[in-house]
Each structure stands twice: as structure tokens, then as C-alpha cells.
Amino acid sequence: MYRLDRFHIEVTNVCNFKCEFCPDAIMNRRRGHMDLALLEKALDQIAANRIARIITFHLMGEPLIYPHIFEAIQMAADRGLELHLTTNGSTFHLKPDHIENLIASGIPKVTISLQTPDPVTFIIRGAPPRLKPKDYFDGITRYVQANLADVHSKTRIHIKFLDTTPHPFLVPHKPMTVVAGKAQMQRELQRWADRLLVGYVNRSTQDGIQQQIQRYKSGRWQVIELDPKLAIETFPLDSWGNVESDRVIPATFGYCNGASQQAGVLYNGAVVPCCKDFEGQIPLGDLNYQSLTEILNNQPACSLRNGFNRFKVTHPICQRCMGADTAQKTLLRQIGSIVYFKAYSPLMKKLHPGWGEV
């Protein structure tokens, strides 16, 4: 039985944003929320069989609009599970009680997909008309500062920025410019660090943060520590399986950790190998009728793992996801996938515990 690094639980695939960098607008699956009994089944099995080191309440959708979200968080806590939650942060203004409730929940980690750090770029989020940029940014700021001020809270918050600097290994979901280049990203990181930490840091800490920001390198994932309970991070714009690309040269070799280090369950119970299979096109099984242990040890999951372990990409959806729009880029992505998963990622995790966590 594989013990996964993380298991994604899609409590809902409904979202109140329509971000241009997200495939939500082109997703064909029916929208809905996970039945609470099905969620409980998943959590029970993950806890009893130590299936994953980390669970997340996210694959598609906005988890904080799930009707049972705080009950779900408590269910995970009761089972001693390490829960991470990724949110767009919209409800901190739309439902202000979420700030107090989320802090009180004791959730270990919350990642806020800020992505668009200013009113100009916020337009690509497709936010509800009643949510203005200022209200959105103020809501996130209130939550972060309330969590910093609460001496009992152990929640660690990450604020994520979208880096649209062109990258030779990545194929963006669609061309766009949010924050590109070292100088612009440094300005935005510093501006938000100053905003979030007003009254919480001394001069020496400010100097240390500035030095971290000055060492920032564009076009890569990077975390800048602001406080033991707060970090800002950058994340390069990547594809979502190349589903909209008109011309993709499919990959034939490479490596992916789908079904070996990560997997997920969609709100309807379908189990998938990775967070990029947002349409459920590589079904490994159905949690409504099978256990997670059975699913992860059955032929579909084993076949996928065995292929990647031989550096072969056999499933057509994986071939498209790992491919690119030119032969040269496809070759780079195939080689890069092996180097990343087999050398770079293990080294970074050894040097920096917690590196790459959701």
C-alpha cells in the first residue's frame, strides 16, 4: 500500500470566482457538493490506514463555500489529520464570521490564492460583482492580522502570487500577464509584506524580509518567510493539462507522481491520480463502492505507477498534460519531469523540510 504525500478531497467543485488562469470556466463536470457521509468515509479510511501525510480540501472549487466546511475541518481534526486548505479568500469579506471561525478551527495551514495583487489585475478573477478589489484585499488582510494577533492560533498562512514570467518548461493555460519579471514581483512582495505586517515586526525583522525579497528569482516557486505563522510565495503560471491547446505534441516518456505520491477524490466519489485531472478523465475507482486502499492498489493505479516508474507516459491524458506546443518544449518538459521529481524535489525536501507542500 502506497502512503501518499498528499490526498486532495474536493468538498465542492463550485466556485464564486471565474479566474482566467483556472480551468473552471471550461470544466464540463456537473457542479455539486460532497455528501457529508462520503467525506466522513474518506477521512475515516485515510486516518485508519495512514493513506496520506497531508490532506487538502481542494481540487476544484472554493472550499469555504462548502455548506459543511467547518464541520468538515473539525472532522479532520478529530481524526488527527494534517489538513491544508486552499481558498481564494473571498469569504473573508463576504462572510466576515469566517475569519473568527477559521482561526478557532485550529487548521494547520491555509493557503490564500491572492494571485492578482492589485486592482488592475483583479479583473481577471471574475469575482462576484459585489466583491470589489479593495474589499477583497481588506478581507484577506483582516484575516491574516487576526491570525497573527491570536496567541492560541497555530495556523500557518501562505499568500500565493501568480508569476507569469515566461518559463521554458511550462505551458500556460492561456497567455496573460499578471506579475512578470524580477523587479515587478519584488515590488509586489514588498508592498504586501508591509501591508500584512503593519505593527507586527521590528526593524531587524523588516531588514531580513527585504533581504529575502531581494534574493527572489523570477519564474520559479519560492517561499519568503514573514513570520512563523505567515509566508508569501510565488508560483509560476502553468497549464492545466493542456486541455485548451489547439496543437499539443504528446509526451512519450517522463515521470509524474500521480497515484504514487498524490491522488484525489472528486465531490461525487470518483478517485483520480492528481489535481490536474479536474474532469475525472483518469478514474481509478469510486469511493462510493470501493475503499481507498482497494482503489490505490487496483489495476488502474498500479498500471499508471508502473508506467511512470519505467519513465513511460502511457495514458493519453497524461501524454497531453506532459506535452507541449513545440517538439523542443515537449522534449524539455519530458526530461525536466524526471529531473524535477527524481532529483531536484527530493534534494529540496531534504535541505528544506516542508518544501513544496500544498
Side-chain angles (χ1 to χ4, degrees), residues 153-170:
S153 173
K154 291 181 172 55
T155 299
R156 178 174 169 84
I157 300 174
H158 278 219
I159 309 291
K160 185 174 286 190
F161 293 72
L162 186 63
D163 184 349
T164 53
T165 304
H167 193 287
F169 290 109
L170 305 180

Side-chain angles (χ1 to χ4, degrees), residues 55 96 125 131 170 179 243 310:
I55 64 168
R125 304 302 295 274
L131 184 62
L170 305 180
V179 181
V243 292
R310 299 193 306 272

Side-chain angles (χ1 to χ4, degrees), residues 54-102:
I54 294 170
I55 64 168
T56 76
F57 279 171
H58 181 72
L59 198 146
M60 290 293 287
E62 168 49 50
L64 286 180
I65 64 175
Y66 179 53
H68 313 291
I69 185 58
F70 292 107
E71 185 175 355
I73 292 172
Q74 186 61 53
M75 287 164 60
D78 290 344
R79 289 159 177 78
L81 297 172
E82 177 77 11
L83 172 62
H84 295 180
L85 182 145
T86 297
T87 173
N88 60 32
S90 61
T91 67
F92 298 137
H93 172 75
L94 299 174
K95 298 182 178 180
D97 63 313
H98 276 194
I99 292 176
E100 181 180 352
N101 291 342
L102 197 56

Side-chain angles (χ1 to χ4, degrees), residues 58-321:
H58 181 72
L59 198 146
M60 290 293 287
E62 168 49 50
L64 286 180
I65 64 175
Y66 179 53
H68 313 291
I69 185 58
F70 292 107
E71 185 175 355
I73 292 172
Q74 186 61 53
M75 287 164 60
D78 290 344
R79 289 159 177 78
L81 297 172
E82 177 77 11
L83 172 62
H84 295 180
L85 182 145
T86 297
T87 173
N88 60 32
S90 61
T91 67
F92 298 137
H93 172 75
L94 299 174
K95 298 182 178 180
D97 63 313
H98 276 194
I99 292 176
E100 181 180 352
N101 291 342
L102 197 56
I103 292 172
S105 73
I107 187 170
K109 183 178 178 182
V110 173
T111 297
I112 302 174
S113 293
L114 173 69
Q115 311 292 21
T116 52
D118 60 70
V120 175
T121 56
F122 183 73
I123 191 69
I124 73 170
R125 304 302 295 274
R130 67 185 185 280
L131 184 62
K132 305 304 180 187
K134 182 180 184 305
D135 297 331
Y136 175 65
F137 299 140
D138 286 349
I140 291 173
T141 302
R142 286 195 301 273
Y143 167 60
V144 169
Q145 293 183 343
N147 188 67
L148 288 173
D150 192 311
V151 296
H152 301 293
S153 173
K154 291 181 172 55
T155 299
R156 178 174 169 84
I157 300 174
H158 278 219
I159 309 291
K160 185 174 286 190
F161 293 72
L162 186 63
D163 184 349
T164 53
T165 304
H167 193 287
F169 290 109
L170 305 180
V171 183
H173 174 57
K174 60 174 65 175
M176 66 184 67
T177 299
V178 178
V179 181
K182 180 177 180 178
Q184 186 183 5
M185 182 62 80
Q186 286 176 327
R187 288 194 297 271
E188 291 296 347
L189 293 174
Q190 189 64 62
R191 184 171 68 87
W192 270 89
D194 293 341
R195 173 183 183 136
L196 296 170
L197 292 174
V198 171
Y200 287 95
V201 295
N202 55 35
R203 185 64 209 177
S204 62
T205 303
Q206 289 177 334
D207 291 343
I209 291 169
Q210 288 175 354
Q211 290 173 11
Q212 288 187 74
I213 292 174
Q214 288 303 310
R215 292 194 295 269
Y216 163 78
K217 296 180 181 180
S218 60
R220 65 178 64 180
W221 177 84
Q222 188 166 334
V223 174
I224 295 170
E225 302 286 341
L226 304 185
D227 182 89
K229 295 197 293 184
L230 178 64
I232 51 181
E233 66 177 87
T234 62
F235 195 81
L237 177 63
D238 197 3
S239 72
W240 281 89
N242 293 316
V243 292
E244 282 202 308
S245 298
D246 294 328
R247 179 175 177 268
V248 172
I249 298 173
T252 57
F253 73 92
Y255 186 82
C256 177
N257 66 0
S260 62
Q261 294 183 43
Q262 66 163 317
V265 58
L266 306 182
Y267 83 91
N268 64 354
V271 176
V272 295
C274 71
C275 59
K276 286 191 177 182
D277 188 14
F278 62 91
E279 290 284 20
Q281 295 179 297
I282 315 175
L284 304 181
D286 192 326
L287 185 57
N288 290 289
Y289 309 106
Q290 302 164 276
S291 71
L292 285 176
T293 300
E294 291 172 334
I295 292 169
L296 293 173
N297 284 284
N298 276 353
Q299 181 57 30
C302 290
S303 176
L304 204 62
R305 285 194 297 266
N306 290 339
F308 287 133
N309 287 338
R310 299 193 306 272
F311 302 120
K312 292 183 178 180
V313 185
T314 56
H315 198 287
I317 300 300
C318 300
Q319 291 176 342
R320 185 175 180 86
C321 178

